[in-house]
Amino acid sequence: MRNDSEVQAAARKLFKDVVPERAAELEEMWRHYNPRFNILTDAGPDGLFVLDAGAYRDVRFNHRAMRIFWLASFIAWEGYRAVAEADEAGNINLKRFCEMIAVFDQVLEGEDPEAVTLPEGIPEPGIYPDGKEVPQMRAAAELATLSTGWALLHEVRHLKHQQDGTGAAMDDPPEERRAEEMSCDSFATEFLLDKAGVYAADAGVPFEALRQKREIGIYFALFALALIGCGHWHETDTHPAMEARINAVMQKMESDGTKPSDAIAHMAFVALWNLRPDAPGPFKVH
């Protein structure tokens, strides 16, 4: 396990890159809650995929988890692209999408996720393609960063619950534990969106475009969670059903199906529904 100063600096930089307008709040959060980020092994006693929070200050994850969220964003973008480019008869070419899902499964389940070659054209995590040469790959990479930031903010909220005395204990009723998960989703969503207008004004960028981009990043985080839990989307003693989580986040974003972020997310999930008709997702007709 690593939790040295380099790891802490990288975590702080990620959050500030994702929500630069909240830099002062992030510093205050570090002072008050003192979160510690820990990188675990990819195949240890804690399982293959690690992304959790506990012991009042520790956020734990492994390289596998970060690789998974990175790759999932590119898969979601490919699903959106494939559906958007369907022919007049409605035929969707999902060949590359399916190939990418197969690689995702190898990264998720393989002993050494970093030994799995990423699909052609997808860079290693943290490498951002040239936006002029490959704009779609650049977009997916930036959305992957937003998606990862949302997931880690979710875990930070667990720590805040624990230190503030509002967290659900292991022996609490299941509904209280599920409610905490919803609270963490809500916190991460609000943290990304609520002050986006401040950054837009400071940076001189269109507010609506910025908000839509962040909403897509959040949707792609939910897409990643759907892929990670493939086939296990039902409610458990610790987590709400995946569809309930998606619906709650959509309500927080005031999603009504008319925004570009809604359309892009819906098309990404349409691609997934072609493979797994039972998968959850936004604006799904049951």
Side-chain angles (χ1 to χ4, degrees), residues 196-216:
V198 174
Y199 175 71
D202 289 345
V205 299
F207 165 68
E208 194 55 36
L210 175 67
R211 182 179 172 91
Q212 292 303 304
K213 180 178 180 179
R214 291 190 181 184
E215 287 187 0
I216 297 168

Side-chain angles (χ1 to χ4, degrees), residues 170-184:
M170 292 295 291
D171 57 353
D172 280 341
E175 56 268 23
E176 293 185 20
R177 299 166 72 185
R178 293 192 291 264
E180 181 173 328
E181 292 298 327
M182 289 293 206
S183 169
C184 294

Side-chain angles (χ1 to χ4, degrees), residues 51-197:
L51 179 60
D52 58 31
Y56 292 88
R57 66 172 299 205
D58 287 316
V59 174
R60 310 185 319 152
F61 59 93
N62 56 10
H63 288 294
R64 184 191 308 275
M66 298 299 97
R67 199 170 183 82
I68 281 294
F69 272 89
W70 178 265
L71 179 55
S73 181
F74 286 87
I75 297 172
W77 188 270
E78 172 61 22
Y80 152 64
R81 184 206 61 78
V83 173
E85 296 177 3
D87 63 25
E88 294 182 359
N91 297 310
I92 307 170
N93 183 355
L94 292 175
K95 182 176 184 295
R96 178 168 166 79
F97 182 80
C98 292
E99 292 172 349
M100 294 171 77
I101 292 284
V103 173
F104 181 94
D105 290 340
Q106 292 176 40
V107 173
L108 185 61
E109 300 169 2
E111 183 174 344
D112 183 2
E114 296 191 48
V116 178
T117 302
L118 296 179
E120 183 179 356
I122 297 181
E124 287 294 313
I127 297 176
Y128 296 88
D130 188 305
K132 293 182 179 179
E133 294 184 3
V134 280
Q136 292 202 33
M137 292 298 96
R138 175 67 184 218
E142 292 183 1
L143 292 168
T145 302
L146 289 168
S147 169
T148 303
W150 183 91
L152 290 173
L153 282 166
H154 171 105
E155 300 304 334
V156 168
R157 182 61 177 122
H158 279 300
L159 300 183
K160 287 165 63 70
H161 272 305
Q162 291 173 21
Q163 293 190 35
D164 294 343
T166 57
M170 292 295 291
D171 57 353
D172 280 341
E175 56 268 23
E176 293 185 20
R177 299 166 72 185
R178 293 192 291 264
E180 181 173 328
E181 292 298 327
M182 289 293 206
S183 169
C184 294
D185 286 351
S186 179
F187 170 79
T189 302
E190 291 173 349
F191 208 85
L192 283 180
L193 299 179
D194 282 1
K195 295 189 177 180

Side-chain angles (χ1 to χ4, degrees), residues 2-81:
R2 280 191 59 194
N3 57 19
D4 53 64
S5 59
E6 184 179 347
V7 174
Q8 308 314 309
R12 295 173 78 137
K13 182 179 185 303
L14 172 65
F15 287 138
K16 289 182 179 179
D17 286 347
V18 169
V19 279
E21 72 277 8
R22 305 191 84 144
E25 293 172 74
L26 288 167
E27 287 298 328
E28 177 58 28
M29 183 175 70
W30 244 269
R31 284 193 295 269
H32 185 78
Y33 294 98
N34 195 27
R36 180 173 58 193
F37 291 81
N38 306 268
I39 303 177
L40 277 65
T41 61
D42 287 316
D46 294 283
L48 297 179
F49 180 90
V50 179
L51 179 60
D52 58 31
Y56 292 88
R57 66 172 299 205
D58 287 316
V59 174
R60 310 185 319 152
F61 59 93
N62 56 10
H63 288 294
R64 184 191 308 275
M66 298 299 97
R67 199 170 183 82
I68 281 294
F69 272 89
W70 178 265
L71 179 55
S73 181
F74 286 87
I75 297 172
W77 188 270
E78 172 61 22
Y80 152 64
R81 184 206 61 78

Side-chain angles (χ1 to χ4, degrees), residues 186-251:
S186 179
F187 170 79
T189 302
E190 291 173 349
F191 208 85
L192 283 180
L193 299 179
D194 282 1
K195 295 189 177 180
V198 174
Y199 175 71
D202 289 345
V205 299
F207 165 68
E208 194 55 36
L210 175 67
R211 182 179 172 91
Q212 292 303 304
K213 180 178 180 179
R214 291 190 181 184
E215 287 187 0
I216 297 168
I218 293 167
Y219 271 127
F220 280 14
L222 296 170
F223 184 90
L225 293 176
L227 289 184
I228 293 165
C230 189
H232 303 281
W233 298 302
H234 56 279
E235 178 182 276
T236 68
D237 285 348
T238 59
H239 286 73
M242 193 65 224
E243 185 167 5
R245 294 180 68 179
I246 292 172
N247 288 339
V249 170
M250 288 170 57
Q251 184 176 9

